[in-house]
Amino acid sequence: MKLPWLLFSLLLSLTLWSAMATASNVSYDSRSLIIDGQRKLLISAAIHYPRSVPGMWPNLVQTAKEGGVDVIETYVFWNGHEPSPGNYYFGGRYDLVKFVKIVEQAGMYLILRIGPFIAAEWYFGGVPVWLHYVPGTVFRTENEPFKYHMQKFTAFIVNLMKQEKLFASQGGPIILAQIENEYGYYEKDYGEGGKQYAMWAASMAVSQNAGVPWIMCQQFDAPESVINTCNSFYCDQFTPIYPTKPKIWTENWPGWFQTFGARNPHRPAEDIAYSVARFFQKGGSVQNYYMYHGGTNFGRTSGGPFITTSYDYEAPIDEYGLPRLPKWGHLKQLHRAIKLCEHTMLNSERINVSLGPSQEADVYTDSSGACAAFIANMDDKNDKTVKFRNVSYHLPAWSVSILPDCKNAVFNTAKVGYQSSVVEMLPESLQPSVGSPDKSFKGLKWDVFVEKPGIWGEADFVKKGLVDHINTTKFTTDYLWYTTSIFVGETEVFLKNGSSPILLIESKGHALHAFVNQELQANLCWIGSSYFNRVS
């Protein structure tokens, strides 16, 4: 019995996925990364090791692999690894070597985004707080103290990976490394110093001799020694600075981070699939989901303006490590369809064919006559029927159909075949902790953590106005308590219309205790504005 060509190709593709993704040489041309002499179309998934616990790592990596992912991507978290100058930590959730080796054991590649400034809605953007107190330091510009510590940490991480033989040049899984992060947005604010710093960062990274290419995301003037990449919801129109570089998408956002008081972020699976298909349709070669599993901001690691401890990101794998359906499944089918086109796409030139005012096809035909095509309907409101090679194809609004043989549409980004899943939280009967001295205690034992509110002499001091949080607490606590009093005279007890005075507090993400005549009237933790009616 002969297998149909598409089914045979799919089985072959799955077999290749299951093989060990070891490498010994990574290079590139204008079309793609070249790993051990073979061009690759790569699907990558961002999973940040400190945002989950080590016991979760194997299953997270395996679930990503089952979803059709080739590569795991992660930042390196400087302030987690160097809590004080020269003192390094790689235990627990910060065991970077263990995480990379789990990826290697799963037969997958890895992209290491060293930064070491990472942003990532991570506290202080990943930069150690102690660097704030190094005399003369100015972050991310032509500044010697900052450059010294940045280079020292970058070299430490590169050498650590070398010692463990984890770079592809050593037979390991790491195929790309990143220096800096989205600096192009801010470089002009630093003037000439910003330009000099960006060029220095690229040169410094390349000089580490990691044996793999270096990338700089959203670096609009990156030098030729590195590959500049795109971060956005859509990157199909992105073009590298130099024509010799492949088209890489380092951050495709399948959702967004949650902030206190804001609506839950949502990006439909259909739109994510459309963006990915369009990227590869237009010659893309590496695409990374940021995030594929967002996880949790444990402890006090959450950064940015009121970012929640959850970093779920509405990612294909949810905060608890479960596939989010239909998103995970829909993207899995997309990845299979793209992989069926890989060989043809990487070994032929792309030809664009107009099929209507907002409809087009991109066609790849190699020297053997094999053909693959992507047919897109960019109209976000109206379905269309188009003719391609004398065959009619129905395209839902805002969708791409993938034809691995230029005839049969095996996947359309707007047609979701997976059912939705909903995680339901159920109550659990908790038992006393082992060894709990209180035998009558019905629940788990509580631990109490005490944070000192200040470090500069007395914890309590009087000052008009607000104080700088970091300089006051040296980041030993998230809390500063402000106390103030408002005196209401007898003639102000009632307003002209007979109503009581109202105290309006405008704030975000704060807790407040209100007293009237030294008696507690209200306790609130809220977002936005709150009103207090005066109580006599």
Side-chain angles (χ1 to χ4, degrees), residues 298 396 504:
F298 293 101
L504 169 63

Side-chain angles (χ1 to χ4, degrees), residues 68-291:
V69 169
D70 310 292
V71 185
I72 300 299
E73 175 268 311
T74 185
Y75 280 127
V76 177
F77 296 78
W78 186 5
N79 48 15
H81 290 303
E82 193 176 5
S84 60
N87 296 314
Y88 298 101
Y89 177 71
F90 288 89
R93 291 183 293 107
Y94 292 94
D95 194 339
L96 173 60
V97 170
K98 180 177 182 179
F99 180 77
V100 176
K101 288 185 176 180
I102 287 173
V103 173
E104 181 179 33
Q105 291 160 8
M108 302 175 74
Y109 300 120
L110 187 132
I111 299 173
L112 195 66
R113 300 174 72 185
I114 298 175
F117 174 86
I118 59 172
E121 292 74 53
W122 187 261
Y123 74 106
F124 229 49
V127 178
V129 175
W130 54 259
L131 191 54
H132 180 74
Y133 303 101
V134 174
T137 300
V138 181
F139 290 3
R140 305 176 77 195
T141 188
E142 186 65 16
N143 174 265
E144 291 306 318
F146 183 77
K147 288 164 57 180
Y148 169 78
H149 288 286
M150 174 178 168
Q151 179 170 358
K152 181 182 175 185
F153 180 75
T154 301
F156 186 92
I157 294 298
V158 170
N159 288 332
L160 177 63
M161 297 298 103
K162 286 181 179 179
Q163 290 168 15
E164 299 292 335
K165 301 188 183 304
L166 295 175
F167 283 110
S169 56
Q170 303 171 294
I174 301 174
I175 57 173
L176 289 174
Q178 178 178 305
I179 196 68
E180 252 298 339
N181 188 64
E182 295 183 334
Y183 188 66
Y185 293 134
Y186 311 103
E187 180 180 307
K188 63 180 184 300
D189 298 329
Y190 290 98
E192 185 58 30
K195 173 74 171 179
Q196 293 173 3
Y197 165 72
M199 298 304 105
W200 169 84
S203 176
M204 180 271 291
V206 173
S207 71
Q208 302 302 317
N209 297 317
V212 298
W214 286 83
I215 59 176
M216 295 183 82
C217 68
Q218 296 298 89
Q219 187 61 46
F220 313 125
D221 60 354
E224 196 168 3
S225 58
V226 300
I227 306 170
N228 70 298
T229 69
C230 181
N231 292 357
S232 183
F233 285 108
Y234 308 96
C235 280
D236 49 285
Q237 299 303 314
F238 166 75
T239 302
I241 297 172
Y242 299 95
T244 56
K245 309 295 182 183
K247 185 171 176 173
I248 298 177
W249 190 358
T250 32
E251 290 190 16
N252 180 3
W253 307 313
W256 202 242
F257 52 82
Q258 179 72 55
T259 57
F260 286 107
R263 294 165 54 185
N264 291 329
H266 175 63
R267 188 182 183 192
E270 298 93 322
D271 183 58
I272 306 168
Y274 173 86
S275 72
V276 176
R278 286 287 289 169
F279 176 71
F280 285 107
Q281 174 179 347
K282 294 299 182 181
S285 61
V286 180
Q287 187 267 164
N288 176 62
Y289 295 104
Y290 185 100
M291 302 293 296

